[in-house]
Amino acid sequence: MEHFLSMKNISEHEILRLIKEADAIKENGVSPIHKQLFAGNLFFEPSTRTKMSFTIAQRKLGIDPLDFAGETSSLQKGESIYDTAKTFEAIGASMLVIRHNQENIANQIAAHVSIPVINAGDGKGEHPTQCLLDLLTIYQEFNKFTGLKIAIAGDIKHSRVARSNALALQTLGAEVYLTSPPDWQDNQLDYPYITIDEAVETCDIVMLLRIQHERHEGGVAYGKQHYLSAYGLTKAREQRMKRHAIILHPAPVNRGVEIADELVECSRSRIFKQMENGVYARMAVMKRLLTDRGIIDENHFNQREAVSSR
């Protein structure tokens, strides 16, 4: 694996390898890397969970994070994103983590640098590390994907999370359904649409999405109460879910909009577990990139795993 940019062309084997690696890291940990490495965290969009979990994941691996703030960088002097990335490469970064509102920007940078690039969210494109932590959470719950029914509910048209998850879940053998207000559907995604009421009654996982107000260009606006009652997860709908069914949400959560406030931390919710799993999923991706690219020897991690199993 040279970069981690998309879930489009990743095989079932590779996805499962990353999931199991993340699960093993959560269970056993890994020894910090005894070699000075730096990660350039280029976040051009606001972020709490993704940025902080990457930072913690890097520190747990022994990688020094290089923080970046666009408003105090040479971007303000006219420097391009490309030259910013090349600068981080030139001063010694061992990998780049890029989050930006422009689709495919991480792919474009990856084609012109010699170090691994991780897509931490690109506009309405994809969010592959969020997808991986979602998959890890599902795997820990069900220990399988084949035959599971998953509904992704909400602002499908503007959601990079929906795209990455739909692609990966289908690759893993799950049945993917979408549910959305009519004007936020995306016909480019070839999955069946169902109502939120059908979703709660038939699916094993209901994955809710935040309304992406920052990506809307006019169009229909919904009041909070109307959206929740028509398209969101209310308490009444939650009570009709299968006994074993769980609730996911990539966060940040708009309480009382896509999900009733009291359901965010209910017994079905795995929302904060997803956040916890984000650290381990991102550790697994960075570990795999470093070893596959020959920056770190695989034996370094195998030694720790051997010690942990004694």
Short mmCIF file of all heavy atoms in Angstrom, two decimals, residues 225-283:
data_model
loop_
_atom_site.label_atom_id
_atom_site.label_comp_id
_atom_site.label_asym_id
_atom_site.label_seq_id
_atom_site.Cartn_x
_atom_site.Cartn_y
_atom_site.Cartn_z
N GLN A 225 -36.98 20.31 13.97
CA GLN A 225 -38.02 19.38 14.39
C GLN A 225 -38.61 18.65 13.17
O GLN A 225 -38.90 17.46 13.24
CB GLN A 225 -39.12 20.11 15.17
CG GLN A 225 -38.70 20.51 16.57
CD GLN A 225 -38.29 19.31 17.42
OE1 GLN A 225 -38.91 18.24 17.37
NE2 GLN A 225 -37.23 19.46 18.18
N HIS A 226 -38.77 19.37 12.07
CA HIS A 226 -39.31 18.73 10.88
C HIS A 226 -38.36 17.66 10.36
O HIS A 226 -38.80 16.56 10.00
CB HIS A 226 -39.60 19.76 9.80
CG HIS A 226 -39.99 19.13 8.48
ND1 HIS A 226 -41.18 18.46 8.30
CD2 HIS A 226 -39.32 19.03 7.29
CE1 HIS A 226 -41.24 17.99 7.07
NE2 HIS A 226 -40.12 18.32 6.44
N TYR A 227 -37.08 17.99 10.31
CA TYR A 227 -36.11 17.02 9.79
C TYR A 227 -36.09 15.77 10.67
O TYR A 227 -36.11 14.64 10.17
CB TYR A 227 -34.71 17.63 9.72
CG TYR A 227 -33.71 16.68 9.07
CD1 TYR A 227 -33.54 16.66 7.69
CD2 TYR A 227 -32.97 15.79 9.83
CE1 TYR A 227 -32.67 15.77 7.08
CE2 TYR A 227 -32.08 14.90 9.24
CZ TYR A 227 -31.94 14.90 7.87
OH TYR A 227 -31.07 14.01 7.27
N LEU A 228 -36.04 15.96 11.99
CA LEU A 228 -36.00 14.82 12.89
C LEU A 228 -37.25 13.95 12.73
O LEU A 228 -37.15 12.72 12.62
CB LEU A 228 -35.87 15.29 14.34
CG LEU A 228 -35.84 14.17 15.41
CD1 LEU A 228 -34.61 13.29 15.22
CD2 LEU A 228 -35.86 14.77 16.81
N SER A 229 -38.40 14.56 12.69
CA SER A 229 -39.64 13.77 12.62
C SER A 229 -39.81 13.10 11.26
O SER A 229 -40.35 11.99 11.17
CB SER A 229 -40.85 14.65 12.93
OG SER A 229 -40.98 15.68 11.96
N ALA A 230 -39.33 13.73 10.19
CA ALA A 230 -39.53 13.17 8.85
C ALA A 230 -38.41 12.24 8.41
O ALA A 230 -38.66 11.23 7.75
CB ALA A 230 -39.66 14.30 7.83
N TYR A 231 -37.16 12.54 8.81
CA TYR A 231 -36.02 11.80 8.26
C TYR A 231 -35.01 11.32 9.31
O TYR A 231 -34.07 10.59 8.96
CB TYR A 231 -35.27 12.69 7.26
CG TYR A 231 -36.15 13.22 6.15
CD1 TYR A 231 -36.52 14.56 6.12
CD2 TYR A 231 -36.62 12.38 5.14
CE1 TYR A 231 -37.33 15.06 5.11
CE2 TYR A 231 -37.44 12.86 4.13
CZ TYR A 231 -37.79 14.20 4.12
OH TYR A 231 -38.59 14.68 3.12
N GLY A 232 -35.17 11.71 10.55
CA GLY A 232 -34.18 11.38 11.57
C GLY A 232 -34.56 10.19 12.43
O GLY A 232 -35.60 9.56 12.25
N LEU A 233 -33.67 9.90 13.39
CA LEU A 233 -33.90 8.77 14.30
C LEU A 233 -34.53 9.31 15.59
O LEU A 233 -33.85 9.84 16.46
CB LEU A 233 -32.59 8.05 14.60
CG LEU A 233 -32.73 6.76 15.41
CD1 LEU A 233 -33.56 5.72 14.65
CD2 LEU A 233 -31.36 6.18 15.75
N THR A 234 -35.84 9.14 15.68
CA THR A 234 -36.57 9.53 16.87
C THR A 234 -36.58 8.36 17.87
O THR A 234 -36.22 7.23 17.53
CB THR A 234 -38.02 9.88 16.52
OG1 THR A 234 -38.64 8.70 15.95
CG2 THR A 234 -38.09 11.02 15.51
N LYS A 235 -37.00 8.64 19.08
CA LYS A 235 -37.11 7.58 20.08
C LYS A 235 -38.10 6.51 19.63
O LYS A 235 -37.85 5.31 19.81
CB LYS A 235 -37.54 8.19 21.42
CG LYS A 235 -37.63 7.17 22.56
CD LYS A 235 -36.28 6.57 22.90
CE LYS A 235 -36.38 5.58 24.06
NZ LYS A 235 -35.10 4.88 24.30
N ALA A 236 -39.20 6.93 19.02
CA ALA A 236 -40.20 5.96 18.55
C ALA A 236 -39.60 5.04 17.49
O ALA A 236 -39.87 3.83 17.48
CB ALA A 236 -41.42 6.69 18.01
N ARG A 237 -38.81 5.60 16.60
CA ARG A 237 -38.18 4.75 15.57
C ARG A 237 -37.14 3.82 16.19
O ARG A 237 -37.02 2.66 15.80
CB ARG A 237 -37.54 5.63 14.49
CG ARG A 237 -38.55 6.33 13.59
CD ARG A 237 -37.89 6.98 12.38
NE ARG A 237 -38.90 7.56 11.50
CZ ARG A 237 -39.11 8.86 11.34
NH1 ARG A 237 -38.35 9.73 11.98
NH2 ARG A 237 -40.06 9.29 10.53
N GLU A 238 -36.37 4.32 17.12
CA GLU A 238 -35.35 3.47 17.78
C GLU A 238 -35.99 2.26 18.44
O GLU A 238 -35.43 1.15 18.42
CB GLU A 238 -34.58 4.31 18.82
CG GLU A 238 -33.51 3.56 19.57
CD GLU A 238 -33.99 2.91 20.86
OE1 GLU A 238 -34.97 3.42 21.44
OE2 GLU A 238 -33.39 1.89 21.28
N GLN A 239 -37.16 2.41 18.97
CA GLN A 239 -37.84 1.31 19.65
C GLN A 239 -38.31 0.24 18.67
O GLN A 239 -38.61 -0.88 19.08
CB GLN A 239 -39.02 1.85 20.47
CG GLN A 239 -38.57 2.68 21.67
CD GLN A 239 -39.72 3.31 22.42
OE1 GLN A 239 -40.86 3.38 21.93
NE2 GLN A 239 -39.45 3.77 23.64
N ARG A 240 -38.34 0.56 17.38
CA ARG A 240 -38.74 -0.42 16.38
C ARG A 240 -37.53 -1.12 15.73
O ARG A 240 -37.71 -1.97 14.86
CB ARG A 240 -39.59 0.24 15.28
CG ARG A 240 -40.85 0.92 15.82
CD ARG A 240 -41.94 0.98 14.76
NE ARG A 240 -41.50 1.53 13.49
CZ ARG A 240 -41.49 2.83 13.19
NH1 ARG A 240 -41.87 3.73 14.09
NH2 ARG A 240 -41.11 3.23 11.99
N MET A 241 -36.34 -0.75 16.15
CA MET A 241 -35.14 -1.39 15.61
C MET A 241 -35.02 -2.82 16.11
O MET A 241 -35.59 -3.17 17.16
CB MET A 241 -33.88 -0.59 15.99
CG MET A 241 -33.79 0.77 15.34
SD MET A 241 -32.39 1.77 15.92
CE MET A 241 -31.00 0.85 15.23
N LYS A 242 -34.31 -3.66 15.36
CA LYS A 242 -34.06 -5.03 15.80
C LYS A 242 -33.34 -5.02 17.15
O LYS A 242 -32.61 -4.09 17.46
CB LYS A 242 -33.18 -5.75 14.76
CG LYS A 242 -33.85 -5.98 13.42
CD LYS A 242 -32.88 -6.71 12.48
CE LYS A 242 -33.51 -7.00 11.14
NZ LYS A 242 -32.58 -7.72 10.23
N ARG A 243 -33.54 -6.08 17.91
CA ARG A 243 -32.98 -6.12 19.26
C ARG A 243 -31.46 -5.92 19.26
O ARG A 243 -30.92 -5.25 20.14
CB ARG A 243 -33.31 -7.47 19.91
CG ARG A 243 -32.79 -7.60 21.34
CD ARG A 243 -33.14 -8.94 21.94
NE ARG A 243 -34.59 -9.10 22.04
CZ ARG A 243 -35.18 -10.20 22.52
NH1 ARG A 243 -34.43 -11.23 22.91
NH2 ARG A 243 -36.50 -10.28 22.59
N HIS A 244 -30.78 -6.49 18.27
CA HIS A 244 -29.32 -6.43 18.24
C HIS A 244 -28.78 -5.24 17.45
O HIS A 244 -27.56 -5.03 17.37
CB HIS A 244 -28.75 -7.71 17.61
CG HIS A 244 -29.16 -7.85 16.17
ND1 HIS A 244 -30.31 -8.52 15.78
CD2 HIS A 244 -28.58 -7.39 15.01
CE1 HIS A 244 -30.41 -8.48 14.46
NE2 HIS A 244 -29.38 -7.80 13.97
N ALA A 245 -29.64 -4.45 16.84
CA ALA A 245 -29.21 -3.39 15.93
C ALA A 245 -28.50 -2.26 16.68
O ALA A 245 -28.80 -1.97 17.85
CB ALA A 245 -30.41 -2.83 15.17
N ILE A 246 -27.56 -1.62 16.00
CA ILE A 246 -26.78 -0.55 16.61
C ILE A 246 -26.90 0.74 15.80
O ILE A 246 -27.30 0.74 14.64
CB ILE A 246 -25.30 -0.93 16.77
CG1 ILE A 246 -24.65 -1.20 15.40
CG2 ILE A 246 -25.15 -2.12 17.70
CD1 ILE A 246 -23.13 -1.37 15.45
N ILE A 247 -26.52 1.84 16.45
CA ILE A 247 -26.55 3.18 15.85
C ILE A 247 -25.13 3.67 15.70
O ILE A 247 -24.33 3.61 16.64
CB ILE A 247 -27.33 4.16 16.75
CG1 ILE A 247 -28.79 3.70 16.94
CG2 ILE A 247 -27.28 5.58 16.19
CD1 ILE A 247 -29.50 4.42 18.09
N LEU A 248 -24.80 4.17 14.51
CA LEU A 248 -23.52 4.80 14.24
C LEU A 248 -23.73 6.23 13.76
O LEU A 248 -24.78 6.56 13.23
CB LEU A 248 -22.73 4.02 13.18
CG LEU A 248 -22.38 2.56 13.45
CD1 LEU A 248 -21.58 1.99 12.29
CD2 LEU A 248 -21.60 2.40 14.75
N HIS A 249 -22.70 7.05 13.95
CA HIS A 249 -22.73 8.44 13.47
C HIS A 249 -21.28 8.91 13.44
O HIS A 249 -20.56 8.78 14.42
CB HIS A 249 -23.55 9.31 14.42
CG HIS A 249 -23.88 10.68 13.88
ND1 HIS A 249 -22.93 11.55 13.38
CD2 HIS A 249 -25.08 11.33 13.74
CE1 HIS A 249 -23.52 12.66 12.98
NE2 HIS A 249 -24.82 12.55 13.18
N PRO A 250 -20.81 9.49 12.31
CA PRO A 250 -19.42 9.92 12.24
C PRO A 250 -19.10 11.14 13.09
O PRO A 250 -17.92 11.40 13.36
CB PRO A 250 -19.23 10.24 10.75
CG PRO A 250 -20.60 10.59 10.26
CD PRO A 250 -21.52 9.69 11.03
N ALA A 251 -20.15 11.89 13.50
CA ALA A 251 -19.99 13.11 14.30
C ALA A 251 -19.24 14.18 13.48
O ALA A 251 -18.58 13.84 12.50
CB ALA A 251 -19.31 12.81 15.61
N PRO A 252 -19.37 15.46 13.86
CA PRO A 252 -20.10 15.96 15.01
C PRO A 252 -21.60 15.73 14.88
O PRO A 252 -22.14 15.76 13.77
CB PRO A 252 -19.78 17.45 15.03
CG PRO A 252 -19.43 17.77 13.61
CD PRO A 252 -18.75 16.56 13.07
N VAL A 253 -22.23 15.50 16.01
CA VAL A 253 -23.65 15.19 16.05
C VAL A 253 -24.45 16.46 16.26
O VAL A 253 -24.14 17.26 17.15
CB VAL A 253 -23.96 14.20 17.19
CG1 VAL A 253 -25.45 13.91 17.26
CG2 VAL A 253 -23.16 12.91 17.02
N ASN A 254 -25.46 16.66 15.45
CA ASN A 254 -26.45 17.71 15.70
C ASN A 254 -27.58 17.08 16.50
O ASN A 254 -28.51 16.48 15.92
CB ASN A 254 -26.97 18.30 14.39
CG ASN A 254 -25.90 19.09 13.65
OD1 ASN A 254 -25.23 19.92 14.24
ND2 ASN A 254 -25.75 18.83 12.37
N ARG A 255 -27.49 17.18 17.80
CA ARG A 255 -28.50 16.55 18.66
C ARG A 255 -29.86 17.19 18.40
O ARG A 255 -29.98 18.40 18.29
CB ARG A 255 -28.11 16.72 20.14
CG ARG A 255 -26.89 15.90 20.54
CD ARG A 255 -26.45 16.25 21.96
NE ARG A 255 -25.27 15.49 22.38
CZ ARG A 255 -25.29 14.50 23.26
NH1 ARG A 255 -26.44 14.13 23.81
NH2 ARG A 255 -24.18 13.88 23.61
N GLY A 256 -30.86 16.34 18.29
CA GLY A 256 -32.20 16.82 18.05
C GLY A 256 -32.48 17.14 16.60
O GLY A 256 -33.56 17.65 16.28
N VAL A 257 -31.53 16.83 15.70
CA VAL A 257 -31.76 17.05 14.27
C VAL A 257 -31.78 15.70 13.57
O VAL A 257 -32.84 15.16 13.25
CB VAL A 257 -30.69 17.97 13.66
CG1 VAL A 257 -30.99 18.22 12.18
CG2 VAL A 257 -30.64 19.30 14.41
N GLU A 258 -30.59 15.10 13.34
CA GLU A 258 -30.58 13.78 12.71
C GLU A 258 -30.83 12.65 13.72
O GLU A 258 -31.17 11.52 13.33
CB GLU A 258 -29.26 13.52 11.98
CG GLU A 258 -28.02 13.55 12.86
CD GLU A 258 -27.34 14.92 12.86
OE1 GLU A 258 -27.93 15.87 12.31
OE2 GLU A 258 -26.23 15.03 13.41
N ILE A 259 -30.70 12.94 14.99
CA ILE A 259 -30.93 11.94 16.03
C ILE A 259 -31.45 12.62 17.28
O ILE A 259 -30.99 13.71 17.65
CB ILE A 259 -29.62 11.16 16.33
CG1 ILE A 259 -29.85 10.08 17.41
CG2 ILE A 259 -28.48 12.09 16.72
CD1 ILE A 259 -28.65 9.15 17.61
N ALA A 260 -32.40 11.99 17.94
CA ALA A 260 -32.93 12.53 19.20
C ALA A 260 -31.82 12.59 20.23
O ALA A 260 -30.97 11.68 20.33
CB ALA A 260 -34.08 11.66 19.70
N ASP A 261 -31.80 13.64 21.01
CA ASP A 261 -30.74 13.88 21.98
C ASP A 261 -30.51 12.68 22.89
O ASP A 261 -29.37 12.26 23.13
CB ASP A 261 -31.11 15.11 22.82
CG ASP A 261 -30.00 15.54 23.76
OD1 ASP A 261 -28.86 15.11 23.58
OD2 ASP A 261 -30.28 16.31 24.70
N GLU A 262 -31.59 12.07 23.38
CA GLU A 262 -31.45 10.98 24.35
C GLU A 262 -30.90 9.70 23.73
O GLU A 262 -30.54 8.75 24.45
CB GLU A 262 -32.79 10.69 25.04
CG GLU A 262 -33.91 10.23 24.13
CD GLU A 262 -34.78 11.36 23.62
OE1 GLU A 262 -34.25 12.48 23.41
OE2 GLU A 262 -35.99 11.13 23.44
N LEU A 263 -30.81 9.63 22.40
CA LEU A 263 -30.31 8.42 21.75
C LEU A 263 -28.80 8.46 21.49
O LEU A 263 -28.20 7.43 21.19
CB LEU A 263 -31.03 8.19 20.42
CG LEU A 263 -32.54 7.96 20.49
CD1 LEU A 263 -33.09 7.72 19.09
CD2 LEU A 263 -32.86 6.78 21.41
N VAL A 264 -28.20 9.63 21.62
CA VAL A 264 -26.76 9.76 21.30
C VAL A 264 -25.93 8.84 22.19
O VAL A 264 -24.94 8.26 21.74
CB VAL A 264 -26.31 11.23 21.44
CG1 VAL A 264 -24.80 11.35 21.24
CG2 VAL A 264 -27.04 12.10 20.42
N GLU A 265 -26.34 8.68 23.44
CA GLU A 265 -25.58 7.84 24.37
C GLU A 265 -26.44 6.69 24.91
O GLU A 265 -26.18 6.19 26.00
CB GLU A 265 -25.03 8.69 25.50
CG GLU A 265 -24.04 9.74 25.03
CD GLU A 265 -23.55 10.66 26.12
OE1 GLU A 265 -22.75 10.20 26.96
OE2 GLU A 265 -23.97 11.84 26.15
N CYS A 266 -27.42 6.25 24.12
CA CYS A 266 -28.26 5.13 24.55
C CYS A 266 -27.50 3.81 24.39
O CYS A 266 -26.39 3.76 23.86
CB CYS A 266 -29.57 5.11 23.78
SG CYS A 266 -29.41 4.57 22.06
N SER A 267 -28.10 2.72 24.84
CA SER A 267 -27.41 1.42 24.84
C SER A 267 -27.10 0.93 23.42
O SER A 267 -26.17 0.15 23.22
CB SER A 267 -28.26 0.38 25.57
OG SER A 267 -29.52 0.22 24.95
N ARG A 268 -27.87 1.37 22.43
CA ARG A 268 -27.60 0.96 21.05
C ARG A 268 -26.48 1.77 20.40
O ARG A 268 -25.89 1.35 19.41
CB ARG A 268 -28.85 1.18 20.18
CG ARG A 268 -30.02 0.31 20.45
CD ARG A 268 -31.05 0.58 19.37
NE ARG A 268 -32.32 -0.05 19.63
CZ ARG A 268 -32.61 -1.31 19.34
NH1 ARG A 268 -31.68 -2.06 18.77
NH2 ARG A 268 -33.79 -1.81 19.59
N SER A 269 -26.22 2.95 20.93
CA SER A 269 -25.30 3.87 20.29
C SER A 269 -23.85 3.39 20.44
O SER A 269 -23.41 3.00 21.52
CB SER A 269 -25.43 5.26 20.90
OG SER A 269 -24.43 6.12 20.40
N ARG A 270 -23.10 3.47 19.33
CA ARG A 270 -21.66 3.19 19.35
C ARG A 270 -20.89 4.43 18.90
O ARG A 270 -19.75 4.34 18.46
CB ARG A 270 -21.34 2.01 18.43
CG ARG A 270 -22.06 0.72 18.78
CD ARG A 270 -21.63 0.17 20.13
NE ARG A 270 -22.30 -1.09 20.44
CZ ARG A 270 -23.46 -1.21 21.07
NH1 ARG A 270 -24.10 -0.11 21.49
NH2 ARG A 270 -23.99 -2.39 21.31
N ILE A 271 -21.50 5.60 19.06
CA ILE A 271 -20.93 6.84 18.53
C ILE A 271 -19.60 7.16 19.19
O ILE A 271 -18.61 7.48 18.52
CB ILE A 271 -21.92 8.00 18.67
CG1 ILE A 271 -23.17 7.73 17.81
CG2 ILE A 271 -21.28 9.33 18.29
CD1 ILE A 271 -24.31 8.72 18.01
N PHE A 272 -19.53 7.06 20.52
CA PHE A 272 -18.27 7.38 21.20
C PHE A 272 -17.26 6.24 21.08
O PHE A 272 -16.05 6.47 21.12
CB PHE A 272 -18.53 7.78 22.65
CG PHE A 272 -19.14 9.16 22.76
CD1 PHE A 272 -20.52 9.32 22.84
CD2 PHE A 272 -18.35 10.29 22.74
CE1 PHE A 272 -21.09 10.58 22.90
CE2 PHE A 272 -18.90 11.56 22.80
CZ PHE A 272 -20.28 11.71 22.89
N LYS A 273 -17.75 5.03 20.88
CA LYS A 273 -16.84 3.92 20.58
C LYS A 273 -16.19 4.13 19.22
O LYS A 273 -15.00 3.82 19.04
CB LYS A 273 -17.59 2.59 20.61
CG LYS A 273 -16.67 1.39 20.42
CD LYS A 273 -17.43 0.07 20.54
CE LYS A 273 -16.49 -1.12 20.40
NZ LYS A 273 -17.22 -2.41 20.48
N GLN A 274 -16.93 4.66 18.26
CA GLN A 274 -16.35 4.99 16.96
C GLN A 274 -15.19 5.97 17.13
O GLN A 274 -14.13 5.82 16.51
CB GLN A 274 -17.40 5.63 16.04
CG GLN A 274 -18.46 4.69 15.50
CD GLN A 274 -19.54 5.46 14.77
OE1 GLN A 274 -20.56 5.84 15.33
NE2 GLN A 274 -19.32 5.74 13.50
N MET A 275 -15.40 6.99 17.95
CA MET A 275 -14.35 7.98 18.18
C MET A 275 -13.11 7.32 18.77
O MET A 275 -11.98 7.58 18.35
CB MET A 275 -14.86 9.08 19.10
CG MET A 275 -16.00 9.89 18.53
SD MET A 275 -16.56 11.13 19.72
CE MET A 275 -18.20 11.50 19.07
N GLU A 276 -13.31 6.46 19.76
CA GLU A 276 -12.19 5.72 20.36
C GLU A 276 -11.48 4.88 19.31
O GLU A 276 -10.25 4.87 19.23
CB GLU A 276 -12.72 4.82 21.48
CG GLU A 276 -11.64 3.97 22.13
CD GLU A 276 -12.21 2.93 23.08
OE1 GLU A 276 -13.45 2.84 23.21
OE2 GLU A 276 -11.41 2.19 23.67
N ASN A 277 -12.25 4.20 18.47
CA ASN A 277 -11.66 3.34 17.44
C ASN A 277 -10.92 4.12 16.37
O ASN A 277 -10.07 3.56 15.67
CB ASN A 277 -12.75 2.48 16.79
CG ASN A 277 -13.14 1.29 17.63
OD1 ASN A 277 -12.37 0.84 18.47
ND2 ASN A 277 -14.33 0.76 17.41
N GLY A 278 -11.21 5.41 16.26
CA GLY A 278 -10.51 6.23 15.27
C GLY A 278 -9.01 6.24 15.49
O GLY A 278 -8.23 6.26 14.52
N VAL A 279 -8.58 6.23 16.73
CA VAL A 279 -7.14 6.23 17.03
C VAL A 279 -6.50 4.95 16.51
O VAL A 279 -5.47 4.98 15.83
CB VAL A 279 -6.90 6.38 18.55
CG1 VAL A 279 -5.42 6.19 18.88
CG2 VAL A 279 -7.40 7.73 19.04
N TYR A 280 -7.13 3.81 16.77
CA TYR A 280 -6.53 2.53 16.41
C TYR A 280 -6.60 2.29 14.90
O TYR A 280 -5.66 1.73 14.31
CB TYR A 280 -7.22 1.40 17.18
CG TYR A 280 -7.20 1.67 18.65
CD1 TYR A 280 -8.36 2.02 19.35
CD2 TYR A 280 -6.00 1.63 19.36
CE1 TYR A 280 -8.33 2.31 20.70
CE2 TYR A 280 -5.97 1.92 20.72
CZ TYR A 280 -7.13 2.26 21.38
OH TYR A 280 -7.09 2.56 22.72
N ALA A 281 -7.69 2.73 14.27
CA ALA A 281 -7.80 2.58 12.82
C ALA A 281 -6.70 3.40 12.13
O ALA A 281 -6.06 2.94 11.17
CB ALA A 281 -9.18 3.03 12.34
N ARG A 282 -6.46 4.60 12.62
CA ARG A 282 -5.45 5.46 11.99
C ARG A 282 -4.04 4.98 12.32
O ARG A 282 -3.14 5.10 11.49
CB ARG A 282 -5.70 6.90 12.41
CG ARG A 282 -6.96 7.42 11.70
CD ARG A 282 -7.56 8.69 12.23
NE ARG A 282 -8.71 9.04 11.37
CZ ARG A 282 -9.90 9.40 11.81
NH1 ARG A 282 -10.14 9.49 13.12
NH2 ARG A 282 -10.88 9.68 10.97
N MET A 283 -3.86 4.39 13.48
CA MET A 283 -2.57 3.76 13.78
C MET A 283 -2.30 2.62 12.80
O MET A 283 -1.18 2.48 12.29
CB MET A 283 -2.56 3.22 15.21
CG MET A 283 -2.46 4.29 16.29
SD MET A 283 -2.55 3.61 17.97
CE MET A 283 -0.92 2.84 18.11
#
